Amino acid sequence: MERKWWHDKVAYQIYPKSFFDSNGDGIGDIPGIIQKLDYLKDLGVDILWISPCYPSPFADQGYDISDYYDIHPAFGTLKDMDRLIEEARKREMYILLDLVVNHCSDEHEWFQKACADPNGKYGNFFYIENRKDDKLPCNWRSYFGGSVWEPLPGHPDKQYLHLFHKKQPDLNWENPEVREEVYKNINWWLDRGLRGFRIDAIINIKKKLPYKDYPADRPDGLSCVDHMLADAQGVGEFLGEMRDRGFASHEAFTVGEVFNEKDEELPDFIGDNGYFSTMFDFAPVVFGGSSKGWYDRKRITPDDYKRCCFHSQKRIGDIGFLSNIIENHDEPRGVSYYIPDGETSLHSKKMLAVMYFMLKGLPFIYQGQEIGMENMKFSSIDQIDDISTIDEYHVARNAGCTKEEALKCISLYSRDNARTPMQWDSSENAGFSSGKPWLNVNPNYNNINVKKQWNDPDSLLSFYKELIALRKNPLYRETIVYGDLIPYLEDRHNLMAYFRKGERTLLVAGNFQKKSQDIQLPQKCQKVLLNNYPNADITDRVLHLKDYQAVILEL
Ligand code: GLC
């Protein structure tokens, strides 16, 4: 694996709508991000991925873009974005934006023109089919529920395809003119000083054509898009072209949101000269998923979590560099999800931080994760904004769940858990905004906020700072960034332990339970590098781990 400038960095995801509101309209904005750059720098992060801040009707919170060359006024202006890029550069930080090009918004001028003249140039920017009788071209189910087909506005005899919401028509990547538009936009942003992109939902750009049905997997007679994606060949041709025509000349850093990739495709995706620099490891995220819906998902256990992480590490080997997460804007809060119910504590939060952060790969921190923000306790579906959560609520109800059961299940998985405003301090609205926040603040902000944790050496925030500093420590950087990952006592219940072996040998061990447990050390411990308890109890090479204790030892 070729070494790259970004391998030893730490990345951080900003969901701009909920990060920091500088003008009191209840919506976070780019000037707000600029005001918090020093906070992020002090935390130790280098790469900032900012979720979409382009003009958008917000049907899917900005992942429905109506203009790829501008900034939504609620977030600021292009000038603000230029200033952010410049202010970040001064601090040796790098900005990534979201590249959302599987689809655009139905309010984008391309789609408007396609509606005005479906047989003209822009009709071919989308997947538009004639409507015959009542038979749809195929039975694929949109990710947000219902058929992927929707009547084309103004043309009852035609329909268009949307794998996501109906306000997110899919762009026709088979059309070279569409691809040219995408590459033009990528280069336009990179010319402005952007360092790269997080690439949204990209595996969806290749459709299996001609359209055909797949076996229905719910009573609605529709089929999850995954079946079609597994069948579609040739996404690599598009991705290779996008790398060569879009990313290559600026050596852009890219992180792909890729699900469903096949083992044999890994070198093409993130090997040397892969389509992307890196991609997220979603193995723990997708674990337990059900084609029936969230109500039927299997909750991940600590042992499952460990197995998922190790499986991904083995699978990737030395092919490339994964990006590791415990949460993002599409997932529940990691500390509420991966730690069993009732066991979320400062110790367990720190343990989870150690476990994922020390894996081989690029660690991403999602805003608020560093202070241990938790899931929201929703008491009614009316508190939910997210379209996918609302759909899953109805899926659960239609499958026979009571209102309470449906609410319980969507509360666990809802994307809105991660989208509540960032908790800066204990003032009104958690210091996020002086106005009414667009989404309710988690009521626990009095206890969980940046201000309270910043000067507390025992806080989760201070612990994250230590973890980041350790990754950057010249004595350990080589081992932490490039050392092999070798699982230790892999089958031991509720223990997650692994070596990082390079110049030095480190043992990372976490007791994933309240009950203490002992483990035998293979070698004498030279030094305790990090510990979420004041002491590490080691006698005769036996390490005694307390309730959710995690240690990083140098052997
Ligand atoms: C990605 C985004 C998600 C969005 C979807 C459609 O999965 O992370 O938030 O809804 O793509 O753009």
Side-chain angles (χ1 to χ4, degrees), residues 60 63 100 103 144 164 168 198 200-201 257 329-330 415 419:
D60 185 20
Y63 282 89
V100 188
H103 44 265
F144 298 147
F164 292 86
Q168 296 168 296
R198 175 265 189 180
D200 183 74
E257 186 201 27
H329 67 292
D330 290 332
R415 308 200 293 181
R419 298 178 179 186

Side-chain angles (χ1 to χ4, degrees), residues 346-360:
L346 185 56
H347 284 128
S348 59
K349 288 179 177 183
K350 289 181 180 175
M351 184 228 51
L352 184 63
V354 172
M355 288 302 122
Y356 101 98
F357 202 88
M358 290 296 289
L359 292 169
K360 191 169 179 180

Side-chain angles (χ1 to χ4, degrees), residues 13-19 51 61 329 366-367 419 438:
Q13 181 190 352
I14 292 179
Y15 194 68
K17 211 170 174 184
S18 303
F19 190 60
S51 280
Q61 289 308 347
H329 67 292
Y366 176 71
Q367 68 183 42
R419 298 178 179 186
W438 72 278

